[in-house]
Amino acid sequence: MSPAASPIRRALTGRIVTMATEGDVIKSGTIFIEDNRIAAIVPKGQPAPAGFEAVDPVATGGTIYPGLIELHNHLSYNILPLWRVPQLFGNRDQWQNAKSYKTSVTGPMSAIALADDGSLLPALVRYVEAKCLVAGTTTSQGITLSNWSGTIHKYYKGALRAAEIGSPPDLPRAHSKIPDIDAEDWLKFDNELKSSACFLLHLSEGIDAKAHNHFLALRNAAGDWAIEPSLAGIHCTALDATDFGTMAENHAKVVWSPLSNLLLYGKTTDVAAARAAGLTIALGSDWSPSGSKNLLGELKAAKVVSAHFGLGFSDYDIVSMATRNPATILKWDAKLGTIATGKFADLLVVKGVTGDPYDHLIKSREQDIVVVTIGGRPRFGTKKAMQLAGGSGEALKIGSSARLIDFTSPDQDPGIERVTLAEATSRLRAALGGLGTLQPRSVAMAAAIADGRVSRAGWRLALDEQFGNNVQLRPRLAYNGIRTGPDLHAVAAAAEPLHPIKLDGLTVSGDAVFLDTLRSEPNLPQGIAEAIAAFY
């Protein structure tokens, strides 16, 4: 029998914000990590725990938080830049049919998905994973790949944790898609919710009666609600205090995306009423076409929106929405979401140790991140911090700072592993710059698939609600005899000719147009865009 491998031990020093309770902060201390878990948390001046006597802690010079957990994203779309929303909308049905949406979002993504020769999917996965990591996100949600042969897990089972994959039994997998037939049958839908630990579903997107009916349809003729403790309603923008009371009675949760709400509808979810009802609230950036670039940016949007509308959320409340609250919603809170001995060492270190610790994180930018660890392994950070922590990876720059990012994973498809971030960036820039060439190829492929002239062999990007994937992101129950939810149709390509667009920048600091586009958005209440831009 071969001897057991020696444990890998690391240690990070800094100000430690546990997020266990408000004010639970160690002004100066060390987190000791053994393999993938936190072995001990020791205030400055106290001895290292047994086994760590020879470990030289990395002096981060920063504040250490739990890694950020995001519960609303559409990851594959995050190669696209912010869409300038042309008008105010009342519900999801309306903007999906806008001409500029088709040429800016569905058309380009359809062209990339259907004209892919095998080089774009690995590049896309690499790039959108990097966008999360460089902003301190250690878990995200929103896998949109279709498995036409094989298993979905091999593509998104990389450095970043995926909520839909989890790591059973410690981290049960969440569900974010529901079979078509179950989405339309009240009893089957309710049974799906009952059988799941966590179900992340879009609910009542919009602000008009049609969006509100989507929630009312959850009640059957007998007066029972298809709302279970597993349900985490994404958006819930059309709901009022009574509706949130109903959700609370049934122990459901809410995922808030304030910037996306305002960009599309000029109004956001009544999260103050949701909190008053006792609901747990998490935060999500939605996607880059109509949301923040990353979850770190959405923290800023939440702070600005709370102040603008007088919602009353403290900085601790907002940081909780990206750490402890989503861990609770996923039922991962025994393992993640706060910093505690025995938990997985998913950590985010931001430079600086002064000021209010919660405000400190909200104000931080991508260039302020010192190091990000997932399961104790350094995945991204400054070159110095990564090397001192025993990490390695591909070199890149954030602002003027040299960084390393490590994507390696024994469980990920080797075709993804071989693609560097630099190569992924090059491929995607070329594809988005050549949409006019890709478009006819994608139209031909769509026709060939529809006619049965080509098989669905291999991997393809199956975009949310654009192709017939036999799954839904939301319930489709009937209210007053009319099926609710957006009236979505399969979209192969935009009717209008596509023109080149630019790959969305990896960070706000590296994106010359993001803030300018944000300032030009017509539906944002006055002052919101400038207040967000002030953080950068």
Side-chain angles (χ1 to χ4, degrees):
M1 181 181 294
S2 59
S6 298
I8 298 173
R9 295 188 172 108
R10 298 182 172 95
L12 304 174
T13 67
R15 179 171 62 167
I16 302 169
V17 183
T18 72
M19 293 304 298
T21 59
E22 186 169 7
D24 190 7
V25 177
I26 299 172
K27 291 184 179 180
S28 180
T30 304
I31 298 176
F32 292 93
I33 302 166
E34 182 168 299
D35 292 330
N36 62 357
R37 296 180 186 262
I38 297 171
I41 304 166
V42 177
K44 182 179 180 180
Q46 295 187 14
F52 285 86
E53 295 87 354
V55 175
D56 189 16
V58 177
T60 68
T63 302
I64 309 174
Y65 304 88
L68 304 184
I69 302 173
E70 176 161 51
L71 296 191
H72 179 207
N73 208 318
H74 303 267
L75 289 169
S76 296
Y77 287 81
N78 288 343
I79 62 172
L80 299 179
L82 186 63
W83 171 45
R84 190 181 185 280
V85 181
Q87 66 186 76
L88 196 67
F89 297 108
N91 63 65
R92 172 69 168 80
D93 245 356
Q94 297 169 350
W95 54 266
Q96 66 161 6
N97 292 313
K99 177 181 175 181
S100 67
Y101 176 73
K102 292 180 178 179
T103 56
S104 298
V105 182
T106 55
M109 290 306 299
S110 296
I112 284 177
L114 290 170
D116 186 8
D117 59 3
S119 69
L120 294 180
L121 180 51
L124 184 146
V125 173
R126 171 65 70 242
Y127 193 80
V128 301
E129 184 177 36
K131 283 186 78 174
C132 290
L133 288 173
V134 302
T137 299
T138 53
T139 296
S140 193
Q141 177 274 335
I143 293 174
T144 54
L145 297 175
S146 178
N147 178 6
W148 288 0
S149 70
T151 168
I152 188 173
H153 292 185
K154 69 176 185 176
Y155 266 92
Y156 266 111
K157 199 169 186 179
L160 185 74
R161 293 193 194 275
E164 294 96 328
I165 295 174
S167 182
D170 288 330
L171 305 176
R173 58 187 294 262
H175 296 266
S176 61
K177 295 178 177 62
I178 187 168
D180 283 345
I181 190 169
D182 295 345
E184 297 184 21
D185 183 292
W186 189 95
L187 184 59
K188 289 182 177 180
F189 173 67
D190 193 49
N191 285 336
E192 284 275 354
L193 295 180
K194 282 184 167 72
S195 64
S196 301
C198 175
F199 226 124
L200 299 154
L201 291 174
H202 291 59
L203 184 63
S204 288
E205 303 157 68
I207 57 175
D208 60 12
K210 183 173 183 179
H212 190 233
N213 288 346
H214 191 231
F215 175 79
L216 298 178
L218 298 181
R219 192 177 190 181
N220 68 7
D224 298 320
W225 288 92
I227 302 175
E228 302 293 340
S230 63
L231 177 62
I234 296 171
H235 290 302
C236 300
T237 327
L239 305 192
D240 57 26
T242 299
D243 303 324
F244 287 123
T246 299
M247 291 186 73
E249 288 171 7
N250 292 279
H251 308 289
K253 293 87 179 176
V254 171
V255 183
W256 184 34
S257 295
L259 184 57
S260 181
N261 295 162
L262 293 174
L263 287 170
L264 296 167
Y265 309 115
K267 180 182 176 183
T268 191
T269 309
D270 189 354
V271 284
R275 179 171 67 169
L279 290 167
T280 300
I281 303 168
L283 202 61
S285 61
D286 197 343
W287 58 353
S288 63
S290 68
S292 296
K293 194 178 292 290
N294 49 53
L295 188 54
L296 190 64
E298 194 70 2
L299 288 171
K300 297 164 181 54
K303 182 180 175 78
V304 168
V305 171
S306 178
H308 184 91
F309 292 103
L311 303 181
F313 288 94
S314 69
D315 292 335
Y316 172 77
D317 294 332
I318 292 169
V319 175
S320 294
M321 294 179 191
T323 53
R324 56 180 290 120
N325 290 7
T328 297
I329 291 171
L330 291 170
K331 296 183 174 60
W332 291 8
D333 48 307
K335 304 294 180 181
L336 285 170
T338 60
I339 298 175
T341 300
K343 291 195 172 185
F344 289 122
D346 289 18
L347 303 170
L348 163 61
V349 185
V350 174
K351 74 176 183 180
V353 295
T354 60
D356 178 85
Y358 312 111
D359 178 64
H360 185 75
L361 177 61
I362 294 171
K363 286 182 176 177
S364 66
R365 304 158 298 169
E366 298 104 336
Q367 57 264 46
D368 297 323
I369 291 177
V370 177
V371 70
V372 175
T373 69
I374 300 179
R377 181 170 178 166
R379 287 295 188 176
F380 171 75
T382 65
K383 183 177 181 180
K384 179 180 178 181
M386 287 284 286
Q387 291 176 338
L388 287 173
S392 60
E394 180 182 352
L396 71 158
K397 281 195 171 184
I398 302 295
S400 60
S401 174
R403 305 295 175 105
L404 295 177
I405 189 164
D406 177 13
F407 298 107
T408 56
S409 170
D411 297 323
Q412 194 177 51
D413 182 82
I416 298 290
E417 290 267 341
R418 288 192 292 268
V419 179
T420 65
L421 177 57
E423 175 61 24
T425 302
S426 177
R427 291 182 194 179
L428 293 170
R429 281 176 176 162
L432 290 171
L435 288 173
T437 301
L438 290 182
Q439 187 175 22
R441 285 166 48 191
S442 71
V443 171
M445 177 60 76
I449 292 172
D451 295 343
R453 287 180 281 120
V454 299
S455 66
R456 295 187 171 190
W459 282 89
R460 289 197 180 276
L461 183 62
L463 302 166
D464 286 341
E465 305 173 311
Q466 286 187 233
F467 305 147
N469 300 328
N470 301 312
V471 292
Q472 298 287 341
L473 298 180
R474 55 185 54 75
R476 307 282 302 199
L477 307 178
Y479 181 71
N480 288 337
I482 300 173
R483 191 180 71 172
T484 60
D487 186 16
L488 301 167
H489 304 283
V491 178
E496 297 293 324
L498 298 178
H499 301 287
I501 61 176
K502 290 186 176 181
L503 175 67
D504 192 49
L506 198 64
T507 65
V508 176
S509 64
D511 189 332
V513 300
F514 174 77
L515 293 177
D516 286 340
T517 304
L518 192 67
R519 292 185 182 100
S520 74
E521 293 285 354
N523 297 334
L524 285 182
Q526 188 173 4
I528 295 285
E530 284 300 337
I532 292 173
F535 286 104
Y536 298 98

